Amino acid sequence: MATYDLEQQEQIDQFKQFWKQYGNLLTWLVLLVLSGFAAWNGYNWWQNQQAAKAAGLYEELDKAASQGDTKKVTQSFADLRKDYAGTTFAQQGALLAAKVAADHQDTTQTKAALQWLVDEGRNADLVAVARLRLAGVQLDAKQYDDAIKTLSAKLPEEFEGLANDRRGDIFMVQGKKEQAVEAYQKAWKQIDPAVDYRRFVEGKLVALGHAPAPVADAAASAAK
């Protein structure tokens, strides 16, 4: 028994020595791990809270848009942009705010909302939509160089055809027929044949005397 007590005491002494040397370090390591876990949970909670609040503001914006309340739309979008800029709701809100402004012929607000999304948006698809719409607004305002610049950024592949179609429109109003035809031809090739809009691009090419090959072949067959 005495031997057992001695061995036990030695183990206790060794543990005390170990704790004296490494105890604080281990304590801090454990605290760091626990703090990191708590921070991760806290971040997820915060993210969920942000999304919920942003969703509420977007709902207000959507309601105001359906009622044609431009003042409320502007305020709701401003709040989304200020407090929840990193959320998808804010980016969707920019497109909705721009549409409402455009419906009310407010070019300044339309461009501002779209430009914010172009500059600050994180969703590549929504940013692409904003670029296409902004280029259209700039085209209407005869800001041709700005419109071409807006379309110059790299877009997701599925939007490249639409971007080239918009470039064709810009070149046409500038009287640059050859460049317009080239842009439309690229657009026609890039847009999926299953997409109805491709027919509009085809119509532009036909009107310019440059019908795409399948259409030209069909016309030749009919003439025989």
Side-chain angles (χ1 to χ4, degrees):
M1 180 68 71
T3 301
Y4 174 78
D5 290 341
L6 181 60
E7 289 178 353
Q8 188 177 49
Q9 185 60 47
E10 287 178 353
Q11 291 173 349
I12 292 173
D13 290 341
Q14 289 174 358
F15 178 79
K16 287 181 178 179
Q17 183 61 33
F18 173 83
W19 187 258
K20 182 178 180 181
Q21 186 172 356
Y22 299 107
N24 285 338
L25 176 61
L26 291 173
T27 300
W28 281 109
L29 286 175
V30 171
L31 286 174
L32 284 173
V33 171
L34 292 176
S35 296
F37 181 72
W40 174 250
N41 283 336
Y43 177 75
N44 285 336
W45 177 85
W46 180 82
Q47 286 281 77
N48 291 334
Q49 288 292 103
Q50 291 290 96
K53 292 177 181 178
L57 267 178
Y58 181 82
E59 187 176 348
E60 289 182 14
L61 193 161
D62 186 46
K63 182 178 180 180
S66 65
Q67 296 173 342
D69 188 343
T70 57
K71 184 176 180 180
K72 182 64 175 176
V73 167
T74 301
Q75 184 58 56
S76 296
F77 174 55
D79 291 340
L80 270 172
R81 186 174 57 188
K82 175 176 176 291
D83 298 324
Y84 310 104
T87 65
T88 300
F89 287 109
Q91 296 171 74
Q92 292 175 326
L95 293 177
L96 183 53
K99 181 181 182 303
V100 172
D103 289 344
H104 289 79
Q105 288 77 50
D106 189 339
T107 303
T108 300
Q109 288 296 330
T110 302
K111 290 170 64 177
L114 293 173
Q115 189 66 60
W116 177 84
L117 180 49
V118 166
D119 294 337
E120 305 295 335
R122 301 177 185 178
N123 184 300
D125 290 345
L126 294 179
V127 171
V129 171
R131 284 190 177 279
L132 290 168
R133 293 185 182 178
L134 179 57
V137 174
Q138 292 166 331
L139 170 59
D140 291 340
K142 299 182 179 180
Q143 298 170 330
Y144 307 130
D145 291 342
D146 289 339
I148 291 294
K149 183 178 179 181
T150 296
L151 295 171
S152 65
K154 178 66 177 176
L155 301 178
E157 184 177 353
E158 59 268 29
F159 290 93
E160 285 293 346
L162 295 175
N164 274 315
D165 174 61
R166 186 56 51 86
R167 288 188 184 95
D169 293 342
I170 297 168
F171 290 137
M172 273 302 297
V173 298
Q174 290 180 294
K176 301 177 180 179
K177 180 181 175 181
E178 291 184 5
Q179 289 173 270
V181 169
E182 183 180 355
Y184 288 141
Q185 287 174 334
K186 288 181 180 178
W188 188 82
K189 292 176 182 177
Q190 291 169 323
I191 297 175
D192 191 312
V195 177
D196 288 339
Y197 189 79
R198 192 172 189 248
R199 297 178 185 175
F200 289 99
V201 180
E202 187 174 289
K204 294 175 185 180
L205 285 168
V206 171
L208 291 171
H210 290 268
V215 176
D217 292 344
S221 297
K224 291 180 180 179

